[in-house]
Amino acid sequence: MEKIIRITRWLDKALSILQVFFIVAMAIVICGSLAGIIGAKSFAEAASQSTNPPTLNVGVLKLWMQPPVLNVEDMRAFLITFAIAIAAILVVSLFAIRLFKRILGDMKEGLPFSPKMPDRIRQIAYLTFAYAVITPVIPSIFSYYMFKL
């Protein structure tokens, strides 16, 4: 039992570090999205002035790609939607970390089978479902706005 308590204390510290990492990483992404929203006009103008189509050279294979049409409204809508999706993942992640910390709190006290544990495990299942719904949205956002799929 002493070994389990030591492991749960270590996991609790690791979750605290992970929580700080999530907050910092998501803040950087959201601030980057906001900066992109503000600078969307200048970025779209610079992209439209490019005359060379993008190419991909792999050995003897050479692909010419049609550059995506970038207009300011679509770029801003993309970045807003992206920031909302990232914020949703942040909220779910922080809730999951808080839930795991509660589970580890009971285990640190030596109560791995407390009456609240089944509800917490059920909430983990709900969070897993939420991740399964939210996570595929991010590539879809890119495909929708950039390639009009």
Side-chain angles (χ1 to χ4, degrees):
M1 189 67 171
E2 205 49 48
K3 188 175 182 180
I4 291 174
I5 293 173
R6 277 186 302 191
I7 290 172
T8 55
R9 285 185 183 148
W10 180 84
L11 286 173
D12 189 44
K13 290 176 186 175
L15 284 174
S16 296
I17 293 169
L18 187 65
Q19 185 175 15
V20 170
F21 173 75
F22 266 121
I23 291 170
V24 169
M26 297 301 173
I28 290 170
V29 170
I30 290 172
C31 288
S33 294
L34 293 175
I37 291 167
I38 293 168
K41 185 175 181 179
S42 61
F43 181 72
E45 287 173 358
S48 66
Q49 291 174 358
S50 175
T51 58
N52 297 332
T55 60
L56 175 66
N57 298 325
V58 181
V60 295
L61 177 66
K62 188 171 186 176
L63 295 172
W64 285 274
M65 295 176 275
Q66 193 70 347
V69 177
L70 294 175
N71 60 29
V72 178
E73 293 82 22
D74 282 347
M75 187 179 298
R76 285 185 177 147
F78 165 71
L79 290 171
I80 289 169
T81 310
F82 183 74
I84 291 170
I86 292 295
I89 288 176
L90 172 65
V91 168
V92 172
S93 299
L94 292 177
F95 187 71
I97 289 172
R98 192 178 90 199
L99 186 61
F100 282 126
K101 287 181 122 186
R102 285 183 185 168
I103 289 171
L104 291 175
D106 285 347
M107 294 179 82
K108 279 194 299 189
E109 294 175 11
L111 302 169
F113 301 107
S114 70
K116 295 179 182 178
M117 197 64 73
D119 291 334
R120 292 179 181 155
I121 293 172
R122 188 176 301 110
Q123 288 175 351
I124 289 174
Y126 294 146
L127 287 175
T128 304
F129 178 74
Y131 272 122
V133 170
I134 295 172
T135 306
V137 168
I138 293 177
S140 301
I141 293 170
F142 180 76
S143 298
Y144 177 76
Y145 284 108
M146 293 298 169
F147 299 113
K148 304 294 183 202
L149 296 177

